[in-house]
Amino acid sequence: MAKKQHDTPLLDELEEGRWPSFVSGLKSLATDEDKPYAGMMTDLLGQLEHSYETRLGYWKGGTVSVYGYGGGVIPRFSEVAEEYPESKEFHTLRVQPPAGMHYSTDFLRQICDVWEKHGSGLIALHGQSGDIMFQGCTTENVQKAFDDLNEIGLDLGGAGPALRTSVSCVGHARCEQSCYDEVRAHRTTINAFLDEMHRPALPYKFKFKFSGCPNDCSNAIHRADFAVIGTWRDEMKVDQEEVKKYVAEAGRKYTIDNVITRCPTNALSLNDDDTLDVDNQSCVRCMHCLNVMNKALSPGDERGATILMGGKRSLKIGDQIGTVIIPFFPLETDEDFERLEELGETVIDFFAENALEHERVGETIDRIGMTNFLEGIGVEIDPNMISHPRTNSYVRTDDWDEEAAKWEKRKAEKASAKVAAE
Ligand code: SF4
């Protein structure tokens, strides 16, 4: 027989809106008489209601882990275990999702079976960290759950001062805007630094995120210390017949009001014969026109990625979006992916040696200055790091032409040295 349910008048209110409620989900787990975790979920609801009444949280941390790992499990012990004994331990296992978050239904059933056997049945796809969050497990069952998840090919993610679980968008498997193989970049990088994830030894967290195009579906620019965002450096491709079809279906006024005038840099112009001109020099890759006219417009042929560093949420100096470190990084050949791995290693080493405790790399850059950071990781300053450097009031432009000439010369020397080496 199901355990008697606690009264939850405050939580009940959250079931009244138009959208599916997490409270209904928790209640369905709590009232499923056949399941061993029903009691745990019943007391969890009781504790949550108590938290809403008193406006206090009652979870405290501790140390829970699995053999050989220093992170990946978030311990949660209840401070009100006397009143709610069955949810006195409610740990979370952070588990890395497959790159691109591609699952088969069979695989999803397998992970549900594991969690119904060892945990609470409650799984979040996916947490803010990018992990699959297996929530609600006793200390005794953590190792058993991990062993079974490991058996079907999953591994714990990161927690604490460590390399964190990485995220990549669904990518070129299903998206026509993709500019590089995100899944390969994700796997290459994380596999190379897995030790940093499982045995926390960094000053603070470090995140890689991979988005295939500037739509940035993995939120890399504002959440990742090391963001790899797909782009193209030639001209966007325009299929004028498809443009005409779009205009014929949507109408000239609609096209002008919703595509042309919404370009943030006025780079688009619709001709009298319903063809489209694109001023590619002015395009800032906001992706609006490509998203709206997705049959007519697509990224150019010369594709790769822009690498940005230092994105993060608040912490010490407020939210930051990543700064462009490498304007265009080709990602096609084996050597390109090796170079990406090498760059990741250099940046992680620099971060490990130079960051203060509890400091993200964006804050390190802010503290020591971008020039020192670039010197530290061995990246040369490139005018292309800034869009329109000549119109940016923060960029010194005296002697600019001479400096630009020196830069062009260095670039040419490097290219000829590379050819000579080959
Ligand atoms: Fe303009 Fe954005 Fe289209 Fe570029 S991608 S042309 S900036 S709307």
Side-chain angles (χ1 to χ4, degrees), residues 35-68:
K35 299 290 193 260
Y37 48 72
M40 181 192 237
M41 298 309 290
T42 300
D43 278 359
L44 179 86
L45 280 161
Q47 174 169 334
L48 190 57
E49 178 74 14
H50 183 52
S51 276
Y52 277 37
E53 280 162 11
T54 56
R55 301 189 180 197
L56 288 172
Y58 294 99
W59 296 114
K60 60 182 174 187
T63 309
V64 180
S65 196
V66 297
Y67 286 111

Side-chain angles (χ1 to χ4, degrees), residues 207-219:
K207 298 180 184 177
F208 286 94
K209 285 185 193 281
F210 303 87
S211 287
C213 79
N215 276 322
D216 193 12
C217 293
S218 73
N219 298 336

Side-chain angles (χ1 to χ4, degrees), residues 232 236 259 262-268 278 282-290:
W232 65 97
M236 83 163 72
V259 186
R262 296 224 172 148
C263 172
T265 52
N266 290 329
L268 300 174
V278 182
S282 298
C283 169
V284 289
R285 316 289 193 262
C286 84
M287 294 300 285
H288 174 70
C289 63
L290 289 99

Side-chain angles (χ1 to χ4, degrees), residues 225-236:
D225 300 276
F226 191 117
V228 184
I229 302 180
T231 190
W232 65 97
R233 65 175 168 185
D234 53 348
E235 304 194 334
M236 83 163 72

